């Protein structure tokens, strides 16, 4: 039952965090404004052609007097306006396209899906137009067709459709040429108005990633792309030839010098824009900046716009109202139109912004307590409703300039009003999640202390108390107040969540005694390990040093009388820690990653033999054979050759064999069973690895096994020395007392000793989990794993299978570590629930901290990192709890076996019938 409670509470806490930071900001149920022709004004252009050169940054366009775009330079020397369009992070394809064609910065909710799609419908210029035609990538088309009632007529392609690397721009040009050379198509469009064409050119982005924007190969691709744009422009001019076509060339995002994008640096957020054709002024609005347009020193004005301002601008160009979710003010001075046309376009823009502000304001004003609560003072529904009449009056009385100033002021207020009310419950929700976490941590501590009670089961308060009645009354009153305030249902639920959690926590209190004894012990054992992990997540260059420091401190007494085995163990500590230090601080590679992976596959077979692990011959043969063909599979994959189906079947068969063979094997001792688990799962991990991850984890697991042996020998020596001091004359007493001392260490007699030992094993397991996670290369808790993790098992893209294999790869080192802990410690097996409660306490303290620092805007990498912090700390112990169940199924077949002293560790456990050190007896009842 406690496991179900843990799962439900963690789902609710994660949902609350998502509700706080990733609520949709898109206002629904709005009506579009009137079109300019409906107001009696003729647009300056009938059709609009938009060229999107994906990944083109402003620096590449304007460098060397625009010499990289000579064909476009010929046009901008004669007509149009040129400038820099400034976006915001995350600089990715979807946010850029949404900004250009919908007029708002991407909704935070889209971050949950890695900016691939959004759960909330939104409007775009394609919905407002009478006809939308384009030649685009399938992914770009899905940005605008997923929720559209009349989807645009986009002809699409995918990368898999082409055998060459840079062939998409040619495909787009040929499709556009075929369409525009068809007389029937042109006849149907000749007299059509409010038509939008989208020409999406993807090759430049790929060239930037492959070569970086500083390389000659990128400039060569830029030349080819801009030539395709010019040729396509000539096709449109030849097909229509009526001077009623407007053109826009821009980019969805820029690119850094290293060929990446997603952040907020200037090269990533600054894109060029070039507007020309029908309805565009030559000079544009006044500006103080110029740029050199050619080698003859021609100086032209350099304009600046926010990327989202392109949406209302190109909408006004063809007589459309802005998209209903647009949040950008219309830039003035770019259109070659009358003052009345520009004024009416601005009015439609402001009315559309005010419609969104009115929607959120009206929702607030309909609440019962709105008169007594904070509000946005500059706008209310009455002020919004009076604006059209006020503008008409100012214009009629000759105050046109004042009318324009009022429109611009109202535009600014409308955007402030939207931001104000959409974050209205942000602070109360943060308070609610903080209170929920505190209640949950209190509940976990109460559960933990019940594990060490002398009474079985320990009586608890239950729900039939005055405290429960008080909490129920408080919840009822708060729910009624939230209902009167018309708070959204989901927000109300999460505001009430702490009352439910605290009610459950208070009901778990013991009937007698303190609820939380030893509070400082709990604080130290939760905050210190959590603080170390939090610190290393931000200062990740020192993880290797932290690992070495913790490992050496654990066996620090071995320095007093070092043995050869101790120095061997010390070497196994320095190898992975040095590996992490080098990997984190230096970017060089001694050899290609596939060579490292091949070496680690060979080592996966050799290392168990070196350590003296005993396996049946068939185990050696099967594992060696699968790793050998794994090397062959890696060779095929690295050379872009398909892995044959029979090899994939073999890998899948081994994956099943690696797990199913353990409980049915002939390994009848804890030692041999642990070695078999380690051997099989390390082989699986190597098959799922891409580079150095397998090598590091093999070193780490070897250190883990030797560390227990060294720690056991240190304790044995220490206990023998104590006994010799007390009773040097009796050898038999020496042995018996040594056994008794070690038994007492694993069988604590007081709740405090129980508590410390449970926290010890909890911190130990989490330490090795995060160590394996960092050591595999995921320094920032990032889940940006490469899909090629599953390259040996599947050929086609399958997100669910890939995700499952990635999770398995993450958990394999922890499965081995927990198996070792259960093998070495009878206490950890018997008190596994207490150990996992301690793990939840440590992990939830980390999650409690991270939940206040989630980013829902800015750099994509920073957003993903903050989300991964929360998700990882929230779910990892739940996943490890599932691993614990799997491990117990591995070990459950071993019962009541007394064996000779093991190779890895000599330790005395409870239940051993002999005086010498043995492995513990595995009891099926303990494992259940």
């Amino acid at each position: 039952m406690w496991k179900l409670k843990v799962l439900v509470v963690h789902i609710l806490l994660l949902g609350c965090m998502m509700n706080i930071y990733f609520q949709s900001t898109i206002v629904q149920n709005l009506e579009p404004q009137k079109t300019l022709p409906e107001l009696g004004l003729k647009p300056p252009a009938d059709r609009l052609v938009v060229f999107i050169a994906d990944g083109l940054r402003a620096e590449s366009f304007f460098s060397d007097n625009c010499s990289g775009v000579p064909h476009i330079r010929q046009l901008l020397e004669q007509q149009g306006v040129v400038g820099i369009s400034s976006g915001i992070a995350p600089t990715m394809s979807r946010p850029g396209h949404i900004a250009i064609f919908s007029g708002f910065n991407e909704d935070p909710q889209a971050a949950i899906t890695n900016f691939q799609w959004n759960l909330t419908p939104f409007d775009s210029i394609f919905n407002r137009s009478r006809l939308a035609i384009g030649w685009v990538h399938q992914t770009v088309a899905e940005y605008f067709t997923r929720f559209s009632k009349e989807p645009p007529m986009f002809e699409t392609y995918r990368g898999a459709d082409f055998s060459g690397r840079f062939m998409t721009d040619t495909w787009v040009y040929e499709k556009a040429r075929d369409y525009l050379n068809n007389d029937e198509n042109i006849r149907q469009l000749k007299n059509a108005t409010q038509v939008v064409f989208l020409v999406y050119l993807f090759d430049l982005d790929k060239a930037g990633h492959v070569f970086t924007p500083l390389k000659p190969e990128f400039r060569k691709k830029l030349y080819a792309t801009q030539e395709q744009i010019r040729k396509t422009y000539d096709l449109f001019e030849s097909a229509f030839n009526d001077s009623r076509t407007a053109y826009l060339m821009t980019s969805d995002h820029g690119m850094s010098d290293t060929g990446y994008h997603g952040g907020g640096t200037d090269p990533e957020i600054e894109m060029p824009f070039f507007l020309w054709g029908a309805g565009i002024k030559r000079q544009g609005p006044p500006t103080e900046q110029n740029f050199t347009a050619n080698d003859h020193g021609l100086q032209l004005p350099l304009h600046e716009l926010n990327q989202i301002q392109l949406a209302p601008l190109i909408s006004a160009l063809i007589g459309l109202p802005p998209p209903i979710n647009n949040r950008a003010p219309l830039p003035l001075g770019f259109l070659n139109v009358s003052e009345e046309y520009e004024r009416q376009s601005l009015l439609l823009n402001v009315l559309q912004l005010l419609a969104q502000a009115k929607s959120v304001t009206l929702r607030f004003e309909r609440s019962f307590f709105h008169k007594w609560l904070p509000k946005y003072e500059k706008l209310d529904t009455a002020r919004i409703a009076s604006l059209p009449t006020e503008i008409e009056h100012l214009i009629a009385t000759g105050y046109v300039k004042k009318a324009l100033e009022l429109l611009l002021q109202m535009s600014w207020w409308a955007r402030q009003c939207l931001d104000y009310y959409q974050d209205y419950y942000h602070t109360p929700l943060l308070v609610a999640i903080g209170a929920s976490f505190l209640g949950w941590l209190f509940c976990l501590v109460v559960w933990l202390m019940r594990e060490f009670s002398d009474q079985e089961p320990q009586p608890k308060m239950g729900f039939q108390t005055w405290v429960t009645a008080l909490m129920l009354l408080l919840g009822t009153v708060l729910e009624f107040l939230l209902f009167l305030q018309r708070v959204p249902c989901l927000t109300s639920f999460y505001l009430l969540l702490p009352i439910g959690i605290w009610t459950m926590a208070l009901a778990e209190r013991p009937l007698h005694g303190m609820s939380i004894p030893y509070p400082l012990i709990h604080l130290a054992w939760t905050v210190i390990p959590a603080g170390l992990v939090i610190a290393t997540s931000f200062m990740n260059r020192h993880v290797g040093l932290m690992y070495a420091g913790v490992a050496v401190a654990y066996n620090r007494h071995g320095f007093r009388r070092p043995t050869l085995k101790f120095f061997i163990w010390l070497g196994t500590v320095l190898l992975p820690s040095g590996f992490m230090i080098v990997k984190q601080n230096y970017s060089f590679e001694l050899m290609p990653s596939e060579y490292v992976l091949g070496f680690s596959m060979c080592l996966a077979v050799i290392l168990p033999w070196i350590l003296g692990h005993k396996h049946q011959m068939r185990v050696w043969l099967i594992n060696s054979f699968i790793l050998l063909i794994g090397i062959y599979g890696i060779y095929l994959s690295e050379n872009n050759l398909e892995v044959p189906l029979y090899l994939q079947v073999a890998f899948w068969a081994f994956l099943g064999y690696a797990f199913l063979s353990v409980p049915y094997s002939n390994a009848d001792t804890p030692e041999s069973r642990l070695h078999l688990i380690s051997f099989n799962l390390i082989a699986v991990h190597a098959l799922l690895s891409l580079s150095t991850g397998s090598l590091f984890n093999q070193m780490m697991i070897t250190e883990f096994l030797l560390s227990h042996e060294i720690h056991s020998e240190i304790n044995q020596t220490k206990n023998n020395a104590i006994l010799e001091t007390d009773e040097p004359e009796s050898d038999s007493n020496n042995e018996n007392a040594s056994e008794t001392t070690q038994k007492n260490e694993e069988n604590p007699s007081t709740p405090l000793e129980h508590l410390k030992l449970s926290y010890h094993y909890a911190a130990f397991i989490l330490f090795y989990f995060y160590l394996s996670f960092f050591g595999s290369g995921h320094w920032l808790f990032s889940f940006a794993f490469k899909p090629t993790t599953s390259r040996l098992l599947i050929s086609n893209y399958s997100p669910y299978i890939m995700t499952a294999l990635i999770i398995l790869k993450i958990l394999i080192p922890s499965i081995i570590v927990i198996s070792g802990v259960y093998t070495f410690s009878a206490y950890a097996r018997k008190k596994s629930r207490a150990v996992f409660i301690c793990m939840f306490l440590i992990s939830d303290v980390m999650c409690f901290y991270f939940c206040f620092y989630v980013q829902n805007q800015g750099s994509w990498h920073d957003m993903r990192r903050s989300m991964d912090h929360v998700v990882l700390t929230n779910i990892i112990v739940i996943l490890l709890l599932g691993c614990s169940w799997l491990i117990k199924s591995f070990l459950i077949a071993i019962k009541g076996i007394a064996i000779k002293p093991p190779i890895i560790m000599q330790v005395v456990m409870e239940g051993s019938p002999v005086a010498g050190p043995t492995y513990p007896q595995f009891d099926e009842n303990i494992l259940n």
Side-chain angles (χ1 to χ4, degrees), residues 653-918:
F654 179 77
L655 181 62
Y657 160 83
F659 288 91
L660 297 177
S661 66
V662 174
Y664 299 102
S665 70
N666 292 328
D668 55 358
T669 69
E671 173 194 9
S672 59
R673 187 62 61 92
L674 173 62
H675 292 169
L676 181 60
I677 293 170
S678 175
F679 193 19
N680 284 355
L681 296 192
I682 283 177
V684 173
H685 191 275
L687 295 175
L688 296 174
S689 295
L690 298 177
S691 181
T692 57
S694 176
L695 182 61
F696 173 82
N697 279 288
Q698 290 182 58
M699 292 189 293
M700 182 200 74
I701 291 168
T702 302
E703 184 277 326
F704 159 73
L705 295 174
L706 290 177
S707 175
H708 275 279
E709 183 176 354
I710 295 297
H711 194 70
S712 176
E713 291 183 354
I714 292 172
N715 287 337
Q716 182 72 34
T717 303
K718 181 179 173 183
N719 294 328
N720 289 340
I722 294 174
L723 192 62
E724 288 174 1
T725 302
D726 295 338
E727 300 181 28
E729 70 283 354
S730 175
D731 293 337
S732 60
N733 287 343
N734 187 359
E735 293 181 359
N736 294 333
S738 175
E739 180 181 355
T740 303
T741 303
Q742 294 189 42
K743 278 186 177 182
N744 290 337
E745 290 180 0
E746 283 290 315
N747 294 274
S749 58
T750 66
L752 179 59
E753 292 174 351
H754 275 282
L755 183 65
K756 290 181 178 180
L757 195 55
S758 297
Y759 270 121
H760 166 80
Y761 283 116
F764 187 84
I765 294 172
L766 286 176
F767 171 75
Y768 275 100
F769 166 77
Y770 285 114
L771 183 63
S772 68
F773 196 75
F774 282 118
S776 297
H778 312 294
W779 312 120
L780 305 179
F781 284 0
S782 174
F783 283 122
F785 290 84
K786 295 182 179 180
T788 47
T789 293
S790 55
R791 58 186 169 176
L792 297 181
L793 289 94
I794 57 177
S795 300
N796 301 320
Y797 179 76
S798 179
Y800 298 108
I801 296 177
M802 289 178 177
T803 302
L805 292 174
I806 287 171
I807 293 174
L808 174 62
K809 176 187 172 185
I810 296 171
L811 294 177
I812 280 176
S814 294
I815 293 175
I816 298 172
V817 169
I818 297 175
S819 298
V821 170
Y822 284 173
T823 300
F824 299 139
S825 172
Y827 180 87
R829 292 194 314 279
K830 185 176 180 180
K831 292 293 186 180
S832 61
R833 173 172 164 172
V835 172
F836 272 95
I837 291 175
C838 291
M839 291 169 64
F840 277 115
L841 279 165
I842 297 171
S843 191
D844 287 343
V845 166
M846 290 188 283
C847 191
F848 184 31
Y849 171 83
F850 284 130
C851 76
F852 291 98
Y853 296 95
V854 177
Q855 295 187 27
N856 59 3
Q857 57 185 355
S859 167
W860 172 77
H861 300 286
D862 292 340
M863 292 174 63
R864 279 300 308 273
R865 187 176 77 165
S866 68
M867 291 173 62
D868 291 345
H869 285 167
V870 169
V871 172
L872 182 65
T873 53
N874 188 274
I875 70 171
I876 190 54
V877 182
I878 296 176
L879 294 177
L880 293 178
L881 190 59
C883 292
S884 174
W885 172 84
L886 178 66
I887 293 163
K888 289 178 180 180
S889 69
F890 286 166
L891 302 175
I892 200 169
I894 307 175
K895 298 192 290 184
I897 301 172
I899 60 171
K900 63 183 180 179
I903 296 175
I904 295 299
M905 177 180 178
Q906 296 182 357
V907 60
V908 178
M909 296 292 186
E910 62 177 346
S912 176
V914 298
T918 66

Side-chain angles (χ1 to χ4, degrees), residues 101-169:
F101 297 108
S102 296
F104 64 90
N105 294 315
E106 179 63 292
D107 194 32
Q109 192 179 63
I112 300 175
T113 63
N114 201 24
F115 296 102
Q116 296 302 309
W117 59 285
N118 197 342
L119 299 173
T120 306
F122 61 91
D123 193 25
S124 71
I125 190 175
F126 302 115
N127 297 338
R128 304 275 65 82
S129 64
R130 293 185 179 179
L131 187 62
I133 302 168
W135 304 275
V136 301
H137 193 284
Q138 177 67 32
T139 303
V140 174
E142 291 174 354
Y143 298 160
F144 303 103
T145 59
R146 186 179 295 271
F147 299 109
S148 180
K149 295 180 180 178
E150 297 181 5
M153 298 170 57
F154 287 158
E155 195 168 355
T156 63
Y157 65 87
R158 288 193 176 275
D161 298 337
F162 306 98
S163 58
R165 178 179 284 176
F166 303 112
M167 300 179 66
T168 60
D169 288 2

Side-chain angles (χ1 to χ4, degrees), residues 48-53 56 58 61-62 66 69-85 226 229-230 233 246-251 271-277 280-282 291 293 300-303 305 310 313-314 317 334:
L48 170 70
V49 182
V50 181
F51 298 99
I52 300 293
L56 176 60
F61 184 90
F62 292 106
C66 301
V69 288
H71 294 85
I72 295 177
R73 183 171 65 178
Q74 294 173 5
L75 294 174
L76 63 86
E77 288 175 351
Q78 304 297 326
Q79 58 178 316
V81 293
V82 184
I84 294 177
S85 163
Q226 61 89 37
I229 293 174
R230 177 58 188 268
Y233 161 75
Y247 300 89
L248 167 65
M249 192 218 76
T250 187
S251 176
M271 293 74 66
F273 76 87
F274 176 32
L275 266 169
W276 77 100
I280 303 298
K281 281 185 178 180
R282 172 55 178 161
F291 73 99
L300 293 177
L302 181 67
H303 301 278
L305 288 177
L310 292 172
L313 180 58
I314 59 179
L317 191 57
F334 287 90

